Amino acid sequence: MRALIGTLRRLAAERGGVLGVDPELVIEPDDTWTPAAELLREPYALLAGLVDETAARWNAPRHVGAALFWKTYGYWHTLPMALGWALDGRVPLMRLPDTWFKVSGAGVTIAATRVTWGSGAAAIAEALQESQLPLVRAINALAKVGERTLWGSTAEAIAHPLTSMVPGDYMRLLREIGPPVDGLVEPAGDTYFRRTCCLWITLPDVEPCGSCCVLRPPTRPAGPSA
């Protein structure tokens, strides 16, 4: 636990305090925080508002705004689990009823009123099913974004910190987690490419993300056997 908290504090300091997860993980929420479970309250008015704000910020269609909102939320929810796994195998679990968020300079900042600790890929797999799957399905229902597209952002949220913050075998972790994130990222030297698009590239006058699937080298067909 101390290793993860120390790493998150360091990351926050490097970013001038702009981090999408509270470095202490646990908070006593004031009125600036909102329960994440409110995002699932039908007819999804709160979620729709955040999606529409994201779409307006980038002058994007609603489904693109939804994908980009999830890329942010899913990244910050996943990051501490990936880092914990790489540091010492201890995984912080912010369960949906305990998770809160607020809009911030990082897009959103996430924390919890209570964190439990699991170990290994199985704990992450359980957390994705309990805390992310309901939101993925809600975004799909609200904005018609494919679930595979959304899970691709979660897969990248596992690969990115383990290639840029704390070294870790992200491909092994993705395999051990299994569906729905296994197979959505592929290694490429010291980095990786996504196999799904976050939809950022659909915006006008933008450069593709460094991990974008459109940058993946073409796969060469196997030649004839000798």
Side-chain angles (χ1 to χ4, degrees):
M1 180 176 71
R2 281 195 288 257
L4 176 59
I5 298 300
T7 299
L8 293 175
R9 288 173 178 168
R10 174 178 58 81
L11 292 173
E14 290 172 353
R15 290 162 171 75
V18 180
L19 196 70
V21 60
D22 190 283
E24 309 302 318
L25 297 179
V26 177
I27 59 162
E28 293 185 8
D30 57 25
D31 59 7
T32 66
W33 294 88
T34 302
E38 290 295 312
L39 294 169
L40 298 174
R41 188 183 297 278
E42 295 188 51
Y44 305 127
L46 178 60
L47 179 60
L50 293 168
V51 164
D52 291 342
E53 286 172 12
T54 305
R57 184 182 315 132
W58 300 110
N59 192 26
R62 194 184 208 200
H63 72 285
V64 176
L68 296 178
F69 169 75
W70 177 252
K71 185 177 183 179
T72 300
Y73 184 100
Y75 181 85
W76 294 118
H77 182 264
T78 305
L79 177 135
M81 295 190 287
L83 290 179
W85 178 87
L87 287 165
D88 58 13
R90 299 196 68 203
V91 175
L93 304 175
M94 293 189 283
R95 301 190 182 280
L96 188 60
D98 305 320
T99 302
W100 294 61
F101 77 94
K102 63 181 176 181
V103 176
S104 71
V108 295
T109 295
I110 295 170
T113 53
R114 183 173 69 95
V115 170
T116 57
W117 294 86
S119 62
I124 299 177
E126 180 183 351
L128 297 185
Q129 292 297 311
E130 191 271 339
S131 296
Q132 292 196 16
L133 179 60
L135 286 166
V136 165
R137 288 180 171 168
I139 291 171
N140 172 264
L142 179 71
K144 308 304 180 189
V145 184
E147 291 187 15
R148 190 169 185 269
T149 293
L150 300 174
W151 285 121
S153 291
T154 297
E156 181 168 27
I158 291 169
H160 180 263
L162 302 191
T163 55
S164 63
M165 299 175 188
V166 173
D169 188 348
Y170 64 90
M171 289 299 292
R172 176 168 74 88
L173 178 53
L174 289 166
R175 285 193 301 269
E176 291 179 358
I177 293 171
V181 293
D182 185 27
L184 299 184
V185 165
E186 65 180 58
D190 294 333
T191 184
Y192 61 88
F193 288 110
R194 291 176 58 136
R195 287 181 170 167
T196 65
C197 183
C198 72
L199 302 186
W200 170 259
I201 192 60
T202 65
L203 300 178
D205 303 319
V206 299
E207 295 293 325
C209 307
S211 60
C212 185
C213 56
V214 305
L215 300 177
R216 288 169 59 205
T219 302
R220 294 184 179 180
S225 58

Short mmCIF file of all heavy atoms in Angstrom, two decimals, residues 28-78:
data_model
loop_
_atom_site.label_atom_id
_atom_site.label_comp_id
_atom_site.label_asym_id
_atom_site.label_seq_id
_atom_site.Cartn_x
_atom_site.Cartn_y
_atom_site.Cartn_z
N GLU A 28 -12.93 11.85 2.55
CA GLU A 28 -14.22 12.16 3.16
C GLU A 28 -14.86 13.20 2.25
O GLU A 28 -14.49 14.37 2.27
CB GLU A 28 -14.04 12.70 4.57
CG GLU A 28 -13.49 11.67 5.55
CD GLU A 28 -13.43 12.21 6.97
OE1 GLU A 28 -13.96 13.32 7.21
OE2 GLU A 28 -12.86 11.53 7.83
N PRO A 29 -15.79 12.80 1.40
CA PRO A 29 -16.28 13.70 0.35
C PRO A 29 -17.04 14.90 0.89
O PRO A 29 -17.85 14.77 1.80
CB PRO A 29 -17.17 12.80 -0.50
CG PRO A 29 -17.57 11.68 0.41
CD PRO A 29 -16.42 11.47 1.34
N ASP A 30 -16.76 16.05 0.28
CA ASP A 30 -17.56 17.24 0.55
C ASP A 30 -18.51 17.43 -0.63
O ASP A 30 -18.68 16.52 -1.45
CB ASP A 30 -16.68 18.47 0.79
CG ASP A 30 -15.74 18.75 -0.39
OD1 ASP A 30 -16.06 18.33 -1.53
OD2 ASP A 30 -14.70 19.39 -0.18
N ASP A 31 -19.12 18.61 -0.74
CA ASP A 31 -20.14 18.78 -1.77
C ASP A 31 -19.56 18.97 -3.17
O ASP A 31 -20.31 19.15 -4.13
CB ASP A 31 -21.08 19.95 -1.42
CG ASP A 31 -20.35 21.27 -1.25
OD1 ASP A 31 -19.13 21.34 -1.53
OD2 ASP A 31 -21.00 22.25 -0.85
N THR A 32 -18.22 18.91 -3.31
CA THR A 32 -17.63 18.94 -4.65
C THR A 32 -17.57 17.54 -5.27
O THR A 32 -17.28 17.42 -6.47
CB THR A 32 -16.21 19.54 -4.64
OG1 THR A 32 -15.33 18.67 -3.90
CG2 THR A 32 -16.21 20.92 -3.98
N TRP A 33 -17.82 16.52 -4.47
CA TRP A 33 -17.75 15.14 -4.92
C TRP A 33 -19.15 14.58 -5.18
O TRP A 33 -20.11 14.97 -4.51
CB TRP A 33 -17.05 14.26 -3.90
CG TRP A 33 -15.59 14.58 -3.70
CD1 TRP A 33 -15.06 15.49 -2.84
CD2 TRP A 33 -14.48 13.98 -4.37
NE1 TRP A 33 -13.70 15.50 -2.92
CE2 TRP A 33 -13.31 14.57 -3.86
CE3 TRP A 33 -14.37 12.99 -5.35
CZ2 TRP A 33 -12.03 14.21 -4.29
CZ3 TRP A 33 -13.10 12.62 -5.78
CH2 TRP A 33 -11.96 13.22 -5.26
N THR A 34 -19.25 13.65 -6.12
CA THR A 34 -20.52 13.01 -6.47
C THR A 34 -20.33 11.50 -6.45
O THR A 34 -19.32 11.00 -6.97
CB THR A 34 -20.98 13.44 -7.87
OG1 THR A 34 -21.12 14.86 -7.91
CG2 THR A 34 -22.31 12.79 -8.25
N PRO A 35 -21.28 10.75 -5.90
CA PRO A 35 -21.16 9.28 -5.94
C PRO A 35 -21.15 8.79 -7.38
O PRO A 35 -22.00 9.18 -8.20
CB PRO A 35 -22.39 8.80 -5.19
CG PRO A 35 -22.85 9.96 -4.37
CD PRO A 35 -22.48 11.18 -5.15
N ALA A 36 -20.22 7.91 -7.71
CA ALA A 36 -20.16 7.37 -9.07
C ALA A 36 -21.42 6.61 -9.42
O ALA A 36 -21.81 6.55 -10.60
CB ALA A 36 -18.93 6.47 -9.21
N ALA A 37 -22.06 6.03 -8.43
CA ALA A 37 -23.30 5.27 -8.70
C ALA A 37 -24.38 6.16 -9.29
O ALA A 37 -25.30 5.66 -9.97
CB ALA A 37 -23.79 4.61 -7.41
N GLU A 38 -24.30 7.49 -9.06
CA GLU A 38 -25.29 8.39 -9.64
C GLU A 38 -25.22 8.41 -11.17
O GLU A 38 -26.20 8.76 -11.84
CB GLU A 38 -25.10 9.81 -9.10
CG GLU A 38 -25.46 9.98 -7.63
CD GLU A 38 -26.96 9.76 -7.40
OE1 GLU A 38 -27.76 10.34 -8.15
OE2 GLU A 38 -27.30 8.99 -6.48
N LEU A 39 -24.07 8.04 -11.72
CA LEU A 39 -23.95 7.98 -13.17
C LEU A 39 -24.85 6.91 -13.78
O LEU A 39 -25.16 6.95 -14.97
CB LEU A 39 -22.49 7.70 -13.56
CG LEU A 39 -21.48 8.79 -13.23
CD1 LEU A 39 -20.07 8.27 -13.42
CD2 LEU A 39 -21.72 10.04 -14.08
N LEU A 40 -25.27 5.95 -12.94
CA LEU A 40 -26.09 4.84 -13.43
C LEU A 40 -27.58 5.05 -13.18
O LEU A 40 -28.38 4.18 -13.51
CB LEU A 40 -25.64 3.54 -12.75
CG LEU A 40 -24.20 3.12 -13.03
CD1 LEU A 40 -23.83 1.90 -12.19
CD2 LEU A 40 -24.00 2.82 -14.51
N ARG A 41 -27.93 6.19 -12.61
CA ARG A 41 -29.34 6.44 -12.32
C ARG A 41 -30.07 6.81 -13.62
O ARG A 41 -29.80 7.85 -14.23
CB ARG A 41 -29.48 7.56 -11.29
CG ARG A 41 -30.91 7.75 -10.80
CD ARG A 41 -31.00 8.92 -9.83
NE ARG A 41 -30.21 8.70 -8.64
CZ ARG A 41 -30.63 7.99 -7.58
NH1 ARG A 41 -31.83 7.42 -7.60
NH2 ARG A 41 -29.86 7.84 -6.52
N GLU A 42 -30.95 5.93 -14.06
CA GLU A 42 -31.69 6.20 -15.29
C GLU A 42 -32.65 7.37 -15.09
O GLU A 42 -33.16 7.55 -13.98
CB GLU A 42 -32.45 4.94 -15.71
CG GLU A 42 -31.50 3.79 -16.09
CD GLU A 42 -32.23 2.61 -16.68
OE1 GLU A 42 -33.03 2.80 -17.63
OE2 GLU A 42 -32.00 1.49 -16.19
N PRO A 43 -32.83 8.20 -16.09
CA PRO A 43 -32.42 8.06 -17.50
C PRO A 43 -31.02 8.61 -17.80
O PRO A 43 -30.81 9.17 -18.88
CB PRO A 43 -33.49 8.85 -18.25
CG PRO A 43 -33.85 9.97 -17.30
CD PRO A 43 -33.74 9.37 -15.91
N TYR A 44 -30.11 8.48 -16.89
CA TYR A 44 -28.69 8.82 -17.10
C TYR A 44 -28.47 10.32 -17.32
O TYR A 44 -27.63 10.74 -18.13
CB TYR A 44 -28.11 8.05 -18.29
CG TYR A 44 -28.27 6.56 -18.20
CD1 TYR A 44 -28.85 5.84 -19.25
CD2 TYR A 44 -27.84 5.85 -17.08
CE1 TYR A 44 -28.99 4.46 -19.18
CE2 TYR A 44 -27.98 4.47 -17.00
CZ TYR A 44 -28.57 3.78 -18.06
OH TYR A 44 -28.72 2.41 -17.99
N ALA A 45 -29.20 11.15 -16.58
CA ALA A 45 -29.08 12.60 -16.78
C ALA A 45 -27.68 13.10 -16.43
O ALA A 45 -27.10 13.92 -17.17
CB ALA A 45 -30.13 13.32 -15.94
N LEU A 46 -27.11 12.63 -15.32
CA LEU A 46 -25.77 13.08 -14.93
C LEU A 46 -24.73 12.61 -15.93
O LEU A 46 -23.87 13.40 -16.36
CB LEU A 46 -25.44 12.57 -13.53
CG LEU A 46 -24.04 12.91 -13.00
CD1 LEU A 46 -23.84 14.41 -12.93
CD2 LEU A 46 -23.83 12.28 -11.61
N LEU A 47 -24.80 11.36 -16.30
CA LEU A 47 -23.86 10.82 -17.28
C LEU A 47 -23.98 11.56 -18.61
O LEU A 47 -22.98 11.92 -19.24
CB LEU A 47 -24.12 9.33 -17.47
CG LEU A 47 -23.23 8.59 -18.48
CD1 LEU A 47 -21.76 8.68 -18.10
CD2 LEU A 47 -23.67 7.13 -18.60
N ALA A 48 -25.22 11.80 -19.04
CA ALA A 48 -25.44 12.52 -20.30
C ALA A 48 -24.83 13.92 -20.26
O ALA A 48 -24.26 14.39 -21.25
CB ALA A 48 -26.93 12.59 -20.61
N GLY A 49 -24.96 14.58 -19.11
CA GLY A 49 -24.39 15.91 -18.99
C GLY A 49 -22.88 15.91 -19.15
O GLY A 49 -22.32 16.76 -19.84
N LEU A 50 -22.22 14.93 -18.55
CA LEU A 50 -20.76 14.83 -18.66
C LEU A 50 -20.34 14.47 -20.07
O LEU A 50 -19.34 14.99 -20.59
CB LEU A 50 -20.24 13.79 -17.66
CG LEU A 50 -20.40 14.18 -16.19
CD1 LEU A 50 -20.12 12.98 -15.29
CD2 LEU A 50 -19.47 15.34 -15.83
N VAL A 51 -21.08 13.57 -20.70
CA VAL A 51 -20.80 13.21 -22.09
C VAL A 51 -20.97 14.43 -23.00
O VAL A 51 -20.12 14.71 -23.86
CB VAL A 51 -21.72 12.05 -22.53
CG1 VAL A 51 -21.73 11.91 -24.05
CG2 VAL A 51 -21.29 10.76 -21.87
N ASP A 52 -22.06 15.16 -22.81
CA ASP A 52 -22.31 16.32 -23.67
C ASP A 52 -21.29 17.43 -23.43
O ASP A 52 -20.90 18.13 -24.38
CB ASP A 52 -23.73 16.84 -23.43
CG ASP A 52 -24.80 15.87 -23.94
OD1 ASP A 52 -24.46 15.00 -24.76
OD2 ASP A 52 -25.96 15.98 -23.50
N GLU A 53 -20.84 17.60 -22.19
CA GLU A 53 -19.79 18.59 -21.92
C GLU A 53 -18.50 18.21 -22.64
O GLU A 53 -17.80 19.06 -23.20
CB GLU A 53 -19.54 18.68 -20.42
CG GLU A 53 -20.64 19.41 -19.66
CD GLU A 53 -20.43 19.32 -18.15
OE1 GLU A 53 -19.33 18.89 -17.72
OE2 GLU A 53 -21.37 19.63 -17.41
N THR A 54 -18.17 16.92 -22.60
CA THR A 54 -16.96 16.46 -23.29
C THR A 54 -17.09 16.66 -24.79
O THR A 54 -16.15 17.12 -25.46
CB THR A 54 -16.70 14.97 -22.97
OG1 THR A 54 -16.65 14.78 -21.56
CG2 THR A 54 -15.38 14.51 -23.59
N ALA A 55 -18.25 16.32 -25.34
CA ALA A 55 -18.47 16.50 -26.77
C ALA A 55 -18.36 17.98 -27.15
O ALA A 55 -17.74 18.33 -28.18
CB ALA A 55 -19.83 15.94 -27.16
N ALA A 56 -18.94 18.85 -26.34
CA ALA A 56 -18.89 20.28 -26.64
C ALA A 56 -17.46 20.81 -26.57
O ALA A 56 -17.05 21.66 -27.38
CB ALA A 56 -19.79 21.05 -25.68
N ARG A 57 -16.67 20.31 -25.62
CA ARG A 57 -15.30 20.78 -25.47
C ARG A 57 -14.49 20.52 -26.74
O ARG A 57 -13.64 21.32 -27.13
CB ARG A 57 -14.64 20.08 -24.29
CG ARG A 57 -13.22 20.57 -23.97
CD ARG A 57 -12.62 19.80 -22.81
NE ARG A 57 -13.57 19.65 -21.73
CZ ARG A 57 -13.84 18.51 -21.10
NH1 ARG A 57 -13.21 17.40 -21.45
NH2 ARG A 57 -14.72 18.46 -20.13
N TRP A 58 -14.75 19.41 -27.39
CA TRP A 58 -13.98 19.04 -28.57
C TRP A 58 -14.76 19.22 -29.87
O TRP A 58 -14.29 18.79 -30.93
CB TRP A 58 -13.51 17.57 -28.44
CG TRP A 58 -12.66 17.35 -27.23
CD1 TRP A 58 -12.98 16.64 -26.12
CD2 TRP A 58 -11.33 17.85 -27.02
NE1 TRP A 58 -11.95 16.68 -25.21
CE2 TRP A 58 -10.93 17.40 -25.74
CE3 TRP A 58 -10.47 18.63 -27.80
CZ2 TRP A 58 -9.67 17.72 -25.22
CZ3 TRP A 58 -9.21 18.94 -27.26
CH2 TRP A 58 -8.84 18.49 -25.99
N ASN A 59 -15.93 19.83 -29.77
CA ASN A 59 -16.77 20.01 -30.96
C ASN A 59 -16.98 18.67 -31.67
O ASN A 59 -16.79 18.53 -32.88
CB ASN A 59 -16.15 21.03 -31.92
CG ASN A 59 -17.12 21.47 -33.00
OD1 ASN A 59 -18.34 21.42 -32.82
ND2 ASN A 59 -16.59 21.88 -34.15
N ALA A 60 -17.36 17.69 -30.89
CA ALA A 60 -17.44 16.31 -31.35
C ALA A 60 -18.88 15.80 -31.33
O ALA A 60 -19.71 16.30 -30.56
CB ALA A 60 -16.58 15.41 -30.47
N PRO A 61 -19.20 14.80 -32.14
CA PRO A 61 -20.50 14.15 -32.00
C PRO A 61 -20.63 13.50 -30.62
O PRO A 61 -19.63 13.23 -29.95
CB PRO A 61 -20.47 13.08 -33.11
CG PRO A 61 -19.40 13.50 -34.05
CD PRO A 61 -18.39 14.25 -33.24
N ARG A 62 -21.87 13.24 -30.25
CA ARG A 62 -22.10 12.75 -28.90
C ARG A 62 -21.40 11.42 -28.63
O ARG A 62 -20.85 11.20 -27.55
CB ARG A 62 -23.61 12.58 -28.66
CG ARG A 62 -23.95 12.40 -27.18
CD ARG A 62 -25.41 12.15 -26.95
NE ARG A 62 -25.83 12.61 -25.64
CZ ARG A 62 -26.92 12.19 -25.04
NH1 ARG A 62 -27.72 11.33 -25.64
NH2 ARG A 62 -27.25 12.65 -23.85
N HIS A 63 -21.41 10.51 -29.61
CA HIS A 63 -20.79 9.21 -29.36
C HIS A 63 -19.28 9.34 -29.17
O HIS A 63 -18.67 8.58 -28.40
CB HIS A 63 -21.13 8.21 -30.47
CG HIS A 63 -20.45 8.47 -31.77
ND1 HIS A 63 -20.82 9.48 -32.62
CD2 HIS A 63 -19.40 7.84 -32.38
CE1 HIS A 63 -20.04 9.48 -33.68
NE2 HIS A 63 -19.17 8.48 -33.56
N VAL A 64 -18.67 10.32 -29.85
CA VAL A 64 -17.24 10.54 -29.65
C VAL A 64 -16.99 11.15 -28.27
O VAL A 64 -16.05 10.76 -27.57
CB VAL A 64 -16.68 11.45 -30.76
CG1 VAL A 64 -15.21 11.78 -30.51
CG2 VAL A 64 -16.86 10.77 -32.12
N GLY A 65 -17.84 12.09 -27.87
CA GLY A 65 -17.74 12.64 -26.52
C GLY A 65 -17.86 11.56 -25.46
O GLY A 65 -17.14 11.56 -24.46
N ALA A 66 -18.76 10.61 -25.69
CA ALA A 66 -18.93 9.51 -24.74
C ALA A 66 -17.68 8.66 -24.65
O ALA A 66 -17.23 8.27 -23.56
CB ALA A 66 -20.13 8.65 -25.15
N ALA A 67 -17.07 8.35 -25.81
CA ALA A 67 -15.86 7.54 -25.82
C ALA A 67 -14.71 8.26 -25.13
O ALA A 67 -13.93 7.65 -24.39
CB ALA A 67 -15.47 7.19 -27.26
N LEU A 68 -14.60 9.57 -25.34
CA LEU A 68 -13.51 10.33 -24.72
C LEU A 68 -13.74 10.52 -23.23
O LEU A 68 -12.78 10.52 -22.44
CB LEU A 68 -13.36 11.68 -25.42
CG LEU A 68 -12.94 11.60 -26.90
CD1 LEU A 68 -12.87 13.00 -27.50
CD2 LEU A 68 -11.62 10.87 -27.06
N PHE A 69 -15.01 10.68 -22.82
CA PHE A 69 -15.27 10.74 -21.38
C PHE A 69 -14.84 9.43 -20.72
O PHE A 69 -14.19 9.43 -19.68
CB PHE A 69 -16.76 11.00 -21.11
CG PHE A 69 -17.12 10.80 -19.66
CD1 PHE A 69 -16.76 11.74 -18.71
CD2 PHE A 69 -17.78 9.65 -19.24
CE1 PHE A 69 -17.06 11.55 -17.36
CE2 PHE A 69 -18.08 9.44 -17.90
CZ PHE A 69 -17.72 10.39 -16.96
N TRP A 70 -15.21 8.30 -21.34
CA TRP A 70 -14.84 7.02 -20.74
C TRP A 70 -13.32 6.82 -20.75
O TRP A 70 -12.76 6.24 -19.81
CB TRP A 70 -15.51 5.85 -21.45
CG TRP A 70 -15.06 4.55 -20.87
CD1 TRP A 70 -14.22 3.63 -21.43
CD2 TRP A 70 -15.36 4.06 -19.56
NE1 TRP A 70 -13.99 2.59 -20.57
CE2 TRP A 70 -14.67 2.84 -19.41
CE3 TRP A 70 -16.14 4.54 -18.51
CZ2 TRP A 70 -14.75 2.08 -18.23
CZ3 TRP A 70 -16.22 3.79 -17.34
CH2 TRP A 70 -15.53 2.57 -17.22
N LYS A 71 -12.66 7.28 -21.80
CA LYS A 71 -11.20 7.14 -21.84
C LYS A 71 -10.57 7.80 -20.62
O LYS A 71 -9.60 7.28 -20.06
CB LYS A 71 -10.65 7.77 -23.13
CG LYS A 71 -9.15 7.56 -23.31
CD LYS A 71 -8.67 8.12 -24.63
CE LYS A 71 -7.18 7.84 -24.83
NZ LYS A 71 -6.68 8.34 -26.12
N THR A 72 -11.14 8.93 -20.20
CA THR A 72 -10.62 9.63 -19.01
C THR A 72 -11.03 8.91 -17.73
O THR A 72 -10.19 8.58 -16.89
CB THR A 72 -11.14 11.08 -18.99
OG1 THR A 72 -10.69 11.75 -20.16
CG2 THR A 72 -10.65 11.81 -17.76
N TYR A 73 -12.32 8.67 -17.56
CA TYR A 73 -12.80 8.05 -16.32
C TYR A 73 -12.19 6.65 -16.15
O TYR A 73 -11.68 6.30 -15.08
CB TYR A 73 -14.32 7.95 -16.34
CG TYR A 73 -14.90 7.40 -15.05
CD1 TYR A 73 -15.44 8.26 -14.09
CD2 TYR A 73 -14.92 6.03 -14.79
CE1 TYR A 73 -15.97 7.77 -12.91
CE2 TYR A 73 -15.43 5.53 -13.60
CZ TYR A 73 -15.95 6.40 -12.67
OH TYR A 73 -16.47 5.90 -11.48
N GLY A 74 -12.24 5.85 -17.21
CA GLY A 74 -11.72 4.50 -17.12
C GLY A 74 -10.24 4.46 -16.84
O GLY A 74 -9.75 3.59 -16.11
N TYR A 75 -9.49 5.42 -17.40
CA TYR A 75 -8.05 5.46 -17.16
C TYR A 75 -7.75 5.67 -15.68
O TYR A 75 -6.96 4.93 -15.08
CB TYR A 75 -7.41 6.58 -17.98
CG TYR A 75 -5.91 6.66 -17.81
CD1 TYR A 75 -5.07 5.87 -18.57
CD2 TYR A 75 -5.34 7.54 -16.88
CE1 TYR A 75 -3.68 5.93 -18.41
CE2 TYR A 75 -3.97 7.61 -16.72
CZ TYR A 75 -3.15 6.80 -17.48
OH TYR A 75 -1.78 6.86 -17.30
N TRP A 76 -8.38 6.67 -15.09
CA TRP A 76 -8.05 7.00 -13.70
C TRP A 76 -8.57 5.95 -12.72
O TRP A 76 -7.97 5.76 -11.66
CB TRP A 76 -8.55 8.40 -13.36
CG TRP A 76 -7.84 9.46 -14.13
CD1 TRP A 76 -8.40 10.33 -15.02
CD2 TRP A 76 -6.44 9.77 -14.10
NE1 TRP A 76 -7.43 11.16 -15.54
CE2 TRP A 76 -6.23 10.84 -15.00
CE3 TRP A 76 -5.36 9.24 -13.41
CZ2 TRP A 76 -4.96 11.39 -15.20
CZ3 TRP A 76 -4.09 9.80 -13.62
CH2 TRP A 76 -3.92 10.85 -14.51
N HIS A 77 -9.66 5.29 -13.07
CA HIS A 77 -10.13 4.22 -12.19
C HIS A 77 -9.22 3.01 -12.27
O HIS A 77 -9.02 2.30 -11.26
CB HIS A 77 -11.56 3.82 -12.57
CG HIS A 77 -12.14 2.77 -11.68
ND1 HIS A 77 -12.11 1.42 -12.00
CD2 HIS A 77 -12.75 2.85 -10.47
CE1 HIS A 77 -12.68 0.73 -11.02
NE2 HIS A 77 -13.08 1.57 -10.08
N THR A 78 -8.66 2.74 -13.44
CA THR A 78 -7.84 1.56 -13.66
C THR A 78 -6.40 1.75 -13.20
O THR A 78 -5.76 0.80 -12.70
CB THR A 78 -7.85 1.19 -15.16
OG1 THR A 78 -9.21 1.02 -15.59
CG2 THR A 78 -7.08 -0.09 -15.42
#
